Amino acid sequence: MKKNLQENLADVTIPDVNVPPHPVHLAMSTRELAQLKEHIKTMLRRQDAVLVAHYYTDALLQDLADETGGCVADSLEMARFGTTHPARTLVVAGVRFMGETAKILNNEKRVLMPDLNATCSLDEGCPIDLFAAFCDRHPDHTVVVYANTSAEVKARSDWVVTSGIALPVIRHLAARGEKILWGPDRHLGRYVQQLTGVEMILWPGSCVVHEEFKAGALEEMCRRHPRAAVLVHPESPREVVAQADVIGSTTALIEAVRTLPHPEFIIATDAGIFNKMRQAAPDKILLGAPTAGEGASCESCARCPWMEMNTLEKLARTLENGHNEVEVSPQLATRARIPIQRMLDFARTLKK
Ligand code: 13P
Ligand code: SF4
C-alpha cells in the first residue's frame, strides 16, 4: 500500500437501514423444480428475454442464466452485457441499482426484476437530498460514486465506478490533478485512497454484509489453515483487507480461485459467489471468512438479504405477469447515463 492517509470521513449522519429477514425457501421436489425451470425457459424464449444474474444470487438462478444464454457476472459486466445483447427484455436478478443501471443504459428495453424491493445498504444509506447537499459543499471536487447507488445519486455524479474499475478511474483522475469526493462505500474509498495516495473525502456508508467480517477471528482461521489464500472484497473493513492475499471485485476473486496454486481459500465476500468458484475450481476447498465474534451462533453468515430476495418462484411470477418492471424517467436516465457511460467508455480503453 502506498500511503497511510487520514480517512477523511464526511460529517453526515446517514439513515438507519431496515435489513429484511432471510427468506424461507419453499420445499420443492426435484420434479417440480425441473418443471418450474422449463416453464421459465419457455417464457424467456417467448418474451425475447434474457436473464442477467449477479454472482451473489441463488445458485439455481445463476445456473438458469448460464443455461439460457444469459450472463452471471459482477456489476460492471452485468451493465455491459445488457447493452450488447439483442433481447428486448432484460431480467435482472440482483439488487435494484443493477436493474436501474440496465434501464438507464437501455431505455428502449423492458427491464424486469424478480423483486423490486431488493435494495442495498449502500444505496439506502446515501439518500439524494443528503448526498447532493454534501456535493454542494465541495463544488471543487469531482464526484465519483460507486454503482451501488440510486439513479438520482448517479445523476448528481461525474463518474460511476464499480469495484472492478474504481482503482484505474481514480488513478486517471489523480493524474489530471482532480480532488475526489467519493460515495458511498467508505471501505472501498479508503482502500482506493491508500493505493493511489489521492486525497479523497469519503461518504460514511458501508455494506451490511462485508462490514460483518471479523479480523480477529480471521487471523485465527488463517492459523488453522496455513495453506489457504485469503480473498477479500474491498467493501470489507480495513483490518480484514490488511490480511488479504488478493483484494478485488467478485470477478477478480473467482479468477484468483481458478488461477492460484493454493489448495484452500478463505473468502470474505457473499457466499453466493461459491457457486461460480466451485465450477471454476471443483477440487479446491472454499471456506467462508468468519463473520462471528465470540459467542455468536453463526460462524459465517455472509449472505446479502436483498440478493436473497431473488428466487426462481418470483422470477416465474414476474415473467407471467410482467409487473416488476423497473422504471426510470427518461429525463433522469439521460442525466444518470452520462457518468455510467463515462465508466463504460473508460473500461473499453483499458481493454485495448
Ligand atoms: P461487484 O461489482 O464486485 O460485483 O460487487 C457488487 C456488490 O454489490 C458487492 O457487494
Ligand atoms: Fe449491497 Fe452489500 Fe448486498 Fe452488495 S452485498 S448488494 S453492497 S448490501
Side-chain angles (χ1 to χ4, degrees):
M1 301 228 165
K2 237 185 175 175
K3 284 202 222 168
N4 214 359
L5 289 173
Q6 196 73 27
E7 191 175 2
N8 190 5
L9 275 189
D11 182 20
V12 246
T13 309
I14 61 175
D16 293 329
V17 176
N18 182 19
V19 179
H22 290 274
V24 180
H25 287 286
L26 301 175
M28 221 186 284
S29 68
T30 316
R31 194 158 150 260
E32 283 166 336
L33 180 62
Q35 281 173 344
L36 181 60
K37 284 178 70 174
E38 274 318 304
H39 177 47
I40 294 172
K41 285 181 185 179
T42 307
M43 287 192 287
L44 286 171
R45 243 189 343 264
R46 288 200 181 140
Q47 296 182 29
D48 189 18
V50 68
L51 182 57
V52 189
H54 189 264
Y55 291 128
Y56 293 166
T57 54
D58 191 285
L60 290 169
L61 281 164
Q62 294 187 33
D63 295 349
L64 190 65
D66 279 338
E67 286 164 27
T68 52
C71 98
V72 186
D74 65 11
S75 48
L76 178 61
E77 193 48 42
M78 285 173 82
R80 266 199 295 234
F81 182 86
T83 60
T84 52
H85 197 280
R88 275 186 295 133
T89 295
L90 304 173
V91 188
V92 177
V95 292
R96 195 172 55 214
F97 80 82
M98 295 169 177
E100 281 185 352
T101 301
K103 185 66 190 172
I104 290 164
L105 290 171
N106 305 278
N107 220 25
E108 73 294 351
K109 294 190 182 184
R110 181 172 74 139
V111 177
L112 300 175
M113 293 189 74
D115 193 327
L116 288 178
N117 292 318
T119 180
C120 163
S121 62
L122 289 167
D123 186 350
E124 293 297 305
C126 189
I128 180 60
D129 49 345
L130 282 183
F131 189 71
F134 173 52
C135 297
D136 291 346
R137 288 201 295 278
H138 302 280
D140 55 339
H141 282 61
T142 301
V143 179
V144 182
V145 301
Y146 196 25
N148 302 36
T149 45
S150 65
E152 288 81 0
V153 165
K154 288 184 174 78
R156 179 61 185 81
S157 73
D158 300 304
W159 283 82
V160 168
V161 296
T162 67
S163 60
I165 202 167
L167 257 179
V169 167
I170 297 296
R171 282 203 177 108
H172 169 71
L173 298 177
R176 300 199 315 204
E178 297 182 27
K179 292 194 265 183
I180 312 292
L181 182 155
W182 169 275
D185 188 59
R186 58 184 288 190
H187 296 302
L188 178 60
R190 182 205 58 245
Y191 167 67
V192 169
Q193 186 183 10
Q194 283 180 327
L195 280 187
T196 59
V198 182
E199 292 288 349
M200 289 162 67
I201 315 174
L202 309 177
W203 184 260
S206 63
C207 159
V208 292
V209 179
H210 292 86
E211 189 76 273
E212 282 302 302
F213 291 114
K214 302 290 188 291
L218 177 58
E219 266 172 47
E220 279 171 37
M221 193 173 201
C222 290
R223 274 196 286 277
R224 292 197 302 276
H225 298 273
R227 299 181 314 158
V230 178
L231 311 183
V232 176
H233 196 282
E235 288 170 14
S236 308
R238 183 202 302 262
E239 300 75 14
V240 173
V241 170
Q243 296 181 53
D245 294 294
V246 177
I247 304 157
S249 68
T250 45
T251 299
L253 301 186
I254 295 167
E255 203 42 24
V257 168
R258 201 179 62 77
T259 54
L260 289 181
H262 302 69
E264 288 181 40
F265 293 89
I266 299 174
I267 295 142
T269 195
D270 183 284
I273 204 171
F274 284 25
N275 183 48
K276 271 279 165 261
M277 287 179 167
R278 281 192 200 103
Q279 290 171 5
D283 300 332
K284 305 217 170 157
I285 296 170
L286 308 177
L287 305 163
T291 54
E294 210 161 303
S297 57
C298 172
E299 276 302 310
S300 181
C301 32
R303 288 312 309 261
C304 174
W306 295 291
M307 288 283 183
E308 277 200 314
M309 286 180 165
N310 293 274
T311 62
L312 278 186
E313 295 93 332
K314 286 186 194 171
L315 170 60
R317 275 203 299 276
T318 298
L319 284 163
E320 280 158 9
N321 61 33
H323 283 171
N324 287 346
E325 186 164 354
V326 178
E327 310 275 2
V328 180
S329 77
Q331 297 88 328
L332 179 58
T334 303
R335 285 190 287 127
R337 196 179 304 121
I338 297 168
I340 304 176
Q341 195 57 52
R342 203 166 269 150
M343 166 181 77
L344 295 178
D345 293 344
F346 182 78
R348 226 170 287 127
T349 67
L350 291 181
K351 276 199 163 173
K352 276 188 206 148

